[in-house]
Amino acid sequence: MNLRLLRIFWVITRFRLDTLIPLERLPAALRLLFRLSPLRLVPTGPHSPGKRLRLALEALGPVFVKFGQMLSTRRDLLPPEIADELRRLQDQVPPFPGEQARALIEAELECSIETSFAEFDTHPMASASIAQVHAARLHSGEAVVVKVIRPRIEEVMRKDIGLLYTFARLLRRIPEARRLRPVEVVADYESTLFDELDLRKEAANTSQLKRNFKHSPLLYVPAIHWPLTRQRVMVQERIYGTPVADMQALAEQNVDLRRLAERGVEIFFTQVFRDNFFHADMHPGNIFVNREHPEDPQYIAIDCGIVGSLTREDQDYLARNLLAFFNQDYYEVAALHIESGWVGEDTRANEFAAAIRTVCEPILERPLKEISFGQVLLGLFQTARRFNMEVQPQLVLLQKTLLNIEGLGRQLYPDLDLWTTARPYLERWMKERAGPRGLWESFKKQAPELSRQLPELPVLVHHALSRVEHDQHQRQRQADAIEDMQQQLKYSARRDRRLRLGILLLALAIAWQPLTQWATQQSWPVLVAAGLGMLLLISR
């Protein structure tokens, strides 16, 4: 770990990343540390700041490259020169040698390239942070692409994840950062990131997404060639689309960019709410546009290594929150947060609603180009700090996908009104979910289980009735026992009262006159009291 920290420090030094940090925004101690650091003695070199940042991320490895890929979609938060450089991280990471890729594929398939493919291009088509892709052709004549995992990538990733855990544990000691649940977020990121190392999982995700959008005009997903797919090698149908980030090519093809942007939003909400299975790595390097029918454009999605899903409760919660935002019902948003446990039960809903209104009111009914979700998230984090709201790790992938969707929408059609596009879909989904159709669909899903249990229903009813009868008898026996105990307590109480009264009368008689003088002096009141006292004692 110490060597990895030294490596990171060396990369920061080599590429002078300190020049990208606005020192005036840092705490005084950090400002002093940077000003006294030997970093400032290293020349920046001929490269631009954006290129230095890209080269540094590439040098640091796949975890940092993934971070740069996400940043590349946020052109509203970055200078254009830096955004353009980071965009090259999508599929222009330096490749490893083609002959090495060929050897890895042959080892994984346990046969020669010539046995598996009629043609194989050792020069990679694209190279990403975890794998690279080569063009090939099957013996059947079908054009395919072959994806192969980089050599020794797992070791580097484990070191980086370990470093992230170290940072997360340090953050957990800070009260304001504890609510972000950094360790849980890193754990969730670790599981999704390492899932990408098993290409069989990506192939299965791809097949599922393809079934979900079968014959759909919105999205096309290339087919998997399963006979040649292994853990570290995946063979997939080759597609010929236009990269969604190539705005010049889209314009030359007369693609309807507004319709394309609206369909991107529709695809996202369809995946999240209809299918509960969404592509969670939708950066521009994984999205293409079909070249046919530019007036009715269709997306093509690849690289399904990271997908997400929500529980039914998360779906309902998310939809109700978004609709409440659209309707500017901030009290409902606050109530939903309290109901879900994201904030404490002692939170006053009206105060929380007022804080949310202050953050979210400016973004409604405005075109996407005028909305900065980065500023909105910053404002919500400030609100969260005030009300001790915690980040939910299960929604981190969804939040990341929303950021990618926003960046894609800004790039395609800045005037897109996200709210106007999404609101009718959500309202229709909620209506279908809670209406007769939703109930019928729920019944159909549960029908197989009901049909299995139906023959056992008489036995189950008999057992239930027997159990009810047994419980009734048990409760009656308990009631009788309690009544007996109460009677015993009452009898004991009366007996104790008689005992105390007898002792009292006898004590008074003895104190009044000695017993030896009773008969001679014939003190009848004393004799009566003593007699009553003795009678009460005997009657116990």
Side-chain angles (χ1 to χ4, degrees):
M1 188 62 65
N2 292 333
L3 291 177
R4 184 58 175 164
L5 285 172
L6 290 175
R7 165 74 176 173
I8 292 174
F9 184 79
W10 179 80
V11 170
I12 293 174
T13 302
R14 177 185 174 189
F15 295 102
R16 284 300 308 274
L17 298 187
D18 64 300
T19 60
L20 304 179
I21 302 173
L23 297 182
E24 67 277 2
R25 297 185 183 180
L26 297 177
L30 287 178
R31 287 202 302 269
L32 179 62
L33 180 63
F34 270 104
R35 289 193 174 107
L36 297 179
S37 172
L39 285 173
R40 304 181 68 82
L41 303 178
V42 179
T44 58
H47 299 312
S48 65
K51 187 171 184 178
R52 283 188 280 117
L53 177 59
R54 174 176 65 81
L55 293 175
L57 293 175
E58 290 176 353
L60 290 173
V63 174
F64 296 90
V65 169
K66 286 287 183 184
F67 178 70
Q69 289 175 351
M70 186 183 72
L71 278 181
S72 71
T73 66
R74 300 310 315 273
R75 301 185 70 88
D76 58 310
L77 303 179
L78 299 172
E81 186 269 333
I82 291 181
D84 290 339
E85 280 291 338
L86 292 183
R87 195 180 74 179
R88 299 183 61 187
L89 293 173
Q90 310 293 359
D91 56 2
Q92 297 183 40
V93 178
F96 60 92
E99 291 300 328
Q100 189 176 12
R102 182 188 180 102
L104 289 171
I105 294 170
E106 290 181 335
E108 195 72 11
L109 298 180
E110 298 181 342
C111 63
S112 66
I113 287 290
E114 290 74 19
T115 302
S116 302
F117 305 99
E119 300 176 12
F120 181 84
D121 189 354
T122 56
H123 183 74
M125 295 175 57
S127 182
S129 55
I130 292 179
Q132 72 183 29
V133 176
H134 293 259
R137 187 175 297 278
L138 301 177
H139 290 289
S140 61
E142 180 183 357
V144 295
V145 293
V146 183
K147 186 173 185 178
V148 56
I149 297 292
R150 284 179 172 271
R152 297 181 297 279
I153 191 67
E154 184 174 355
E155 179 183 353
V156 176
M157 289 174 59
R158 291 199 181 281
K159 290 180 180 179
D160 287 344
I161 289 294
L163 188 61
L164 289 178
Y165 271 118
T166 300
F167 291 151
R169 294 187 185 99
L170 292 175
L171 283 176
R172 195 167 54 180
R173 298 179 182 178
I174 304 173
E176 290 186 349
R178 193 177 299 129
R179 65 181 177 79
L180 299 176
R181 303 168 69 179
V183 174
E184 290 85 347
V185 169
V186 172
D188 189 69
Y189 182 52
E190 177 186 21
S191 63
T192 57
L193 196 61
F194 276 92
D195 278 348
E196 291 192 76
L197 296 181
D198 189 346
L199 293 180
R200 295 171 301 184
K201 294 182 179 180
E202 178 180 341
N205 293 338
T206 303
S207 295
Q208 178 66 56
L209 190 63
K210 184 174 182 63
R211 283 195 301 271
N212 291 345
F213 285 87
K214 187 177 182 179
H215 306 308
S216 171
L218 302 177
L219 180 67
Y220 180 80
V221 181
I224 297 294
H225 186 72
W226 283 103
L228 295 177
T229 295
R230 302 290 188 274
Q231 181 175 352
R232 301 179 65 85
V233 172
M234 184 182 75
V235 179
Q236 187 174 18
E237 170 192 358
R238 184 174 181 178
I239 54 99
Y240 299 91
T242 303
V244 73
D246 193 344
M247 297 299 296
Q248 182 178 351
L250 294 177
E252 292 174 353
Q253 296 168 22
N254 296 319
V255 174
D256 188 337
L257 296 180
R258 176 176 180 174
R259 189 173 181 84
L260 186 65
E262 291 175 347
R263 284 191 162 183
V265 176
E266 185 177 355
I267 288 171
F268 169 75
F269 283 99
T270 300
Q271 290 182 82
V272 172
F273 292 104
R274 187 196 72 181
D275 303 328
N276 192 22
F277 188 86
F278 59 91
H279 192 310
D281 199 16
M282 294 183 67
H283 61 74
N286 292 337
I287 306 296
F288 296 82
V289 179
N290 198 327
R291 294 170 184 170
E292 301 177 3
H293 310 295
E295 73 287 350
D296 189 28
Q298 181 188 46
Y299 284 94
I300 302 174
I302 62 172
D303 196 354
C304 300
I306 303 178
V307 298
S309 61
L310 304 176
T311 65
R312 184 181 179 91
E313 291 75 16
D314 285 338
Q315 282 182 305
D316 289 337
Y317 169 75
L318 180 63
R320 290 166 64 191
N321 259 285
L322 290 174
L323 286 175
F325 273 121
F326 294 150
N327 296 326
Q328 297 173 270
D329 187 352
Y330 302 112
Y331 187 88
E332 174 70 6
V333 175
L336 287 169
H337 277 69
I338 296 172
E339 177 186 340
S340 68
W342 282 29
V343 295
E345 294 181 357
D346 57 344
T347 302
R348 299 183 63 177
N350 57 340
E351 293 183 3
F352 193 28
I356 296 173
R357 181 182 297 108
T358 302
V359 174
C360 298
E361 186 69 25
I363 72 173
L364 294 177
E365 298 179 0
R366 297 172 59 186
L368 187 59
K369 69 178 181 180
E370 298 177 12
I371 299 173
S372 173
F373 280 96
Q375 294 299 321
V376 172
L377 288 176
L378 178 61
L380 287 176
F381 283 147
Q382 293 171 348
T383 305
R385 186 182 304 115
R386 177 182 170 190
F387 291 92
N388 298 318
M389 185 168 66
E390 294 185 346
V391 172
Q392 303 299 306
Q394 72 271 21
L395 298 181
V396 169
L397 277 180
L398 185 67
Q399 296 168 359
K400 170 179 174 288
T401 305
L402 281 171
L403 291 176
N404 286 336
I405 289 294
E406 182 198 3
L408 183 61
R410 284 183 181 277
Q411 187 173 358
L412 292 175
Y413 187 71
D415 290 326
L416 172 69
D417 190 336
L418 181 64
W419 314 116
T420 302
T421 306
R423 181 173 179 172
Y425 184 91
L426 282 174
E427 290 176 339
R428 184 172 63 253
W429 182 82
M430 288 294 292
K431 183 178 180 180
E432 292 176 354
R433 181 91 162 205
R437 181 177 178 182
L439 294 176
W440 173 246
E441 291 296 328
S442 179
F443 174 76
K444 287 196 299 183
K445 289 181 179 179
Q446 298 177 15
E449 181 66 17
L450 291 174
S451 63
R452 185 186 67 82
Q453 296 179 354
L454 192 59
E456 304 174 5
L457 190 59
V459 177
L460 294 175
V461 171
H462 174 72
H463 287 168
L465 292 175
S466 299
R467 184 65 182 176
V468 170
E469 183 179 3
H470 176 270
D471 291 344
Q472 288 177 344
H473 290 316
Q474 185 71 15
R475 285 194 294 269
Q476 184 62 45
R477 286 194 294 269
Q478 291 175 351
D480 294 341
I482 291 172
E483 186 176 357
D484 291 342
M485 292 176 62
Q486 291 174 341
Q487 293 297 331
Q488 290 291 333
L489 289 173
K490 289 179 181 179
Y491 176 74
S492 297
R494 287 196 301 268
R495 190 171 57 183
D496 290 343
R497 285 196 297 271
R498 288 197 299 269
L499 174 61
R500 288 193 296 269
L501 183 57
I503 292 173
L504 177 62
L505 290 174
L506 186 59
L508 288 174
I510 294 173
W512 180 267
Q513 199 172 25
L515 186 61
T516 57
Q517 299 176 359
W518 288 356
T520 57
Q521 297 180 1
Q522 296 180 351
S523 179
W524 294 106
V526 174
L527 289 173
V528 171
L532 289 174
M534 292 297 293
L535 182 62
L536 290 171
L537 289 172
I538 294 171
S539 65
R540 294 187 64 245

